[in-house]
Amino acid sequence: MDLALLRTFVTVHRAGSFTRAAALLGLSQPAVTSQIRTLERQLGRPLFLRQARGVTPTTIGDELAHKAAPHLDALVEIAETGLDEDSSLRTLHLAGPPEFTAERALPALTEVSGDAGQGFALRASFGNAEETLEGLAAGHHDLAITTARPRGALLTATPLCDEEHVLVAAPRWTACVGPGKLRRKGAHALENFPVVEVHESLPLVSRYWASVFDSRPAASGTVVVPDLRAVLACAAAGAGLAVLPRYLCAAALERGDVVALLDPAVPPLRTYFLVVRTGTLAMPHIARAHDWLLRAAVDWC
């Protein structure tokens, strides 16, 4: 059986789409379709059921993918790593949100990237969840950190850690609104207060309001800046209220640069996922980074 046909088949199986598989393989969609039909003729059985959006593997298709994929992944690892003595140093391409990647992931990976000559070179890029997952699926990244769990078999996600969100402001705002007033009036106590956020849609504030107050924020963003570290700086300077991950504002809270306006019994949480292309954990440098981040995340929760 032609290995090229099997490689195309496994890619389609993981991508769930001829179109996406073609992009990943650098082929035209008709070429992918032709290869799958050739393989189906050789086996005498259909491998996929064509649907309006993508394809679904048949029972035979699932069985073939289960048997073939690990061996193809191993061959890819041999081809990419080579047999040189110096091949142990590979480059890991990491992608994720700028703040979490900079504050959490990169310091942890820096500890292991050059460890005893068994590590890897490291390259990082930042982006939102959609951009990061698209880049990972297209092969631009090896490992991604995202707050969105991907669908389909092309990508495999593992929960990494949960981050707690905190409603903060500069200390001077507590004269106008404090925990007592918030407990009595809820979100109504905050209707006229300025808000600092990362996007006009107020994603963090909206999530906090829905979780804690069971409502939607009435205010609009007074300061909108696409970096949580800048949001923290603006909030500390007195620009308005902000919702921030506790890990990011913990030091500022301890110094008194900002204060937590509320301490809900069940604080809002957001889950981060560690995502790889299915099968790539067979590559030692990706597996090493994946395992190290999971170990480090135990202390982040």
Side-chain angles (χ1 to χ4, degrees):
M1 189 177 294
D2 191 337
L3 288 179
L5 297 182
L6 279 177
R7 178 170 177 259
T8 298
F9 161 72
V10 169
T11 304
V12 172
H13 186 272
R14 288 172 171 170
S17 161
F18 284 180
T19 302
R20 181 179 287 273
L24 292 170
L25 293 166
L27 300 173
S28 67
Q29 183 175 334
V32 170
T33 302
S34 175
Q35 289 187 23
I36 295 301
R37 286 176 177 169
T38 298
L39 187 58
E40 288 177 328
R41 284 196 299 270
Q42 290 180 2
L43 296 173
R45 303 288 292 274
L47 297 172
F48 296 103
L49 299 176
R50 280 66 169 177
Q51 298 180 332
R53 293 184 177 181
V55 293
T56 300
T58 62
T59 301
I60 297 298
D62 274 334
E63 183 179 347
L64 179 60
H66 178 72
K67 291 179 178 179
H71 301 290
L72 286 171
D73 292 336
L75 289 173
V76 170
E77 166 61 9
I78 292 171
E80 293 193 355
T81 303
L83 301 176
D84 297 333
E85 293 181 359
D86 295 332
S87 64
S88 58
L89 187 60
R90 301 291 304 279
T91 299
L92 178 83
H93 295 271
L94 173 72
E99 307 86 0
F100 187 90
T101 304
E103 300 289 331
R104 292 295 205 197
L106 286 176
L109 288 177
T110 299
E111 295 179 13
V112 72
S113 62
D115 185 23
Q118 300 177 12
F120 43 81
L122 184 59
R123 302 290 184 270
S125 60
F126 301 143
N128 60 36
E130 182 179 359
E131 294 167 343
T132 297
L133 291 176
E134 286 182 356
L136 179 64
H140 301 315
H141 317 307
D142 301 312
L143 192 60
I145 298 170
T146 176
T147 54
R149 183 192 288 271
R151 297 179 179 180
L154 178 62
L155 303 177
T156 299
T158 304
L160 181 62
C161 67
D162 292 329
E163 68 174 15
E164 177 189 344
H165 285 179
V166 188
L167 178 63
V168 302
R172 70 181 181 86
W173 286 106
T174 58
C176 303
V177 56
K181 187 175 182 179
L182 282 175
R183 282 192 290 268
R184 292 194 307 272
K185 295 188 175 182
H188 295 295
L190 302 173
E191 287 181 355
N192 298 317
F193 284 85
V195 172
V196 187
E197 253 284 14
V198 294
H199 192 271
E200 296 288 353
S201 63
L202 308 184
L204 299 182
V205 169
S206 295
R207 188 180 296 112
Y208 190 97
W209 257 236
S211 176
V212 175
F213 302 123
D214 194 24
S215 66
R216 301 177 64 180
S220 60
T222 301
V223 177
V224 175
V225 55
D227 190 300
L228 289 174
R229 292 162 293 192
V231 170
L232 173 59
C234 292
L241 315 180
V243 173
L244 292 166
R246 183 172 290 277
Y247 80 84
L248 191 64
C249 62
L253 287 168
E254 187 174 347
R255 291 191 304 265
D257 298 340
V258 294
V259 295
L261 297 179
L262 194 61
D263 185 21
V266 182
L269 299 176
R270 181 167 64 170
T271 301
Y272 282 96
F273 297 94
L274 198 54
V275 191
V276 297
R277 288 187 303 283
T278 300
T280 57
L281 286 179
M283 300 181 181
H285 70 300
I286 298 179
R288 183 172 171 80
H290 188 274
D291 181 64
W292 192 264
L293 284 173
L294 290 177
R295 290 171 182 265
V298 173
D299 297 326
W300 299 342
C301 298

